[in-house]
Amino acid sequence: MTSFRPLLAALGSIACLAAAGPAGAQGTYPDKPIRIIVPFPAGGVVDGVARIVGQGLSSKYGQPVIVENKPGAGGALGTGVVAKAPPDGYTLLMVSPSHAVAPSLQKGITWDPVRDFRGVAGFGVIPNVIVVHPSVPAKSMKEFIELARSSKEPMTYASSGIGTSSHLTGELLAQSAKVELAHVPYKGQPDATSDLLSGRVNMMPMSTSLALPYIKAGKLVALGVTTARPSSLLPQAPPIADAAGLAGFDVGTWLAMLAPAKVPDAILKKLSDDVAEVLARSDVKPRIEALGLEGDFRTGPQVDALVKEEVARWSRVVKQAGIRAE
């Protein structure tokens, strides 16, 4: 038996090295290119943030960080790609509130926004502002709600399509204020904005950055922002939660990075820390803020909590309103 001891010892060493392989791989992460899937077309805010952060991570890691746009089905197509990707930290996903809304609106979605993903980082929120055409006799959110309650015909509001942020924000406003508002969906933001500017519709929830030029020109009137905190772009517009007495009303377009659910904790922590470091850089922070994002960085667990809250909230709104995707 003694003649086999060197062989057994060698086999034991090989087994130990094999067992240490995954841990060693995590320790050297990343050692190959990373993909960031954006489930929307190129050129939007989500795409812009992904490219800024991707450039920062690439310079830090010395590895390519490739942004891939995979639009379709309101973001569900690209999201499904990441849900099925190997949980090794080399395929990541950029999301917005549609990630939490899609399962309530669309049939046939096979992924779950909570079960199949874990948060990496949150990048802040783009506040929305409720704007009306100047012909509407309301200069505050409180006055608009009173007008909606007393009007013989429902006040109208435009959106860029069924299930979009502007649609759901308007529906949440109607439910919170207990008023009837008539939703007028359009095929996109430009058409909706055009009819709002012409006075064909009364109101629309819009991103502050998009609405600001029209507000400054006197073509639209800002009634209040939809976030709990005032917007740095529109400090004169109060949060409607306070101004209109709608406690808990807090809506904005948040952006976050996710990973497949089974990515190891060590890799998630590294990614989160490194994204935070990139966002704090003096050459990156102004570029993110220029896209309209406000608020604080969120850690992975904070993103997970946010997604759970958003799924619960929008499923209630969608069910109560009976909204169905086009």
Side-chain angles (χ1 to χ4, degrees), residues 37 39 70 75-85 93 109-111 117:
I37 302 297
K70 292 187 177 295
L77 183 63
T79 302
V81 170
V82 180
K84 297 176 182 178
L93 176 70
I109 289 181
T110 57
W111 49 265
F117 301 92

Side-chain angles (χ1 to χ4, degrees), residues 2-73:
T2 55
S3 61
F4 289 100
R5 286 178 182 172
L7 176 60
L8 291 174
L11 290 173
S13 297
I14 292 171
C16 288
L17 286 171
Q26 290 181 27
T28 58
Y29 173 89
D31 58 6
K32 64 180 182 179
I34 296 172
R35 292 193 305 162
I36 301 178
I37 302 297
V38 175
F40 307 107
V45 175
V46 179
D47 178 70
V49 172
R51 293 181 187 279
I52 292 171
V53 174
Q55 290 170 5
L57 289 176
S58 181
S59 64
K60 180 176 179 62
Y61 292 153
Q63 293 286 346
V65 177
I66 303 162
V67 174
E68 294 185 16
N69 298 92
K70 292 187 177 295

Side-chain angles (χ1 to χ4, degrees), residues 122-141:
F123 303 106
V125 175
I126 301 173
N128 293 326
V129 58
I130 303 294
V131 289
V132 295
H133 187 268
S135 63
V136 176
K139 304 304 176 187
S140 69
M141 198 68 242

Side-chain angles (χ1 to χ4, degrees), residues 245-266:
L246 302 180
F249 196 98
D250 185 10
V251 183
T253 304
W254 50 268
L255 271 64
M257 179 183 285
L258 308 179
K262 294 183 180 180
V263 170
D265 291 346

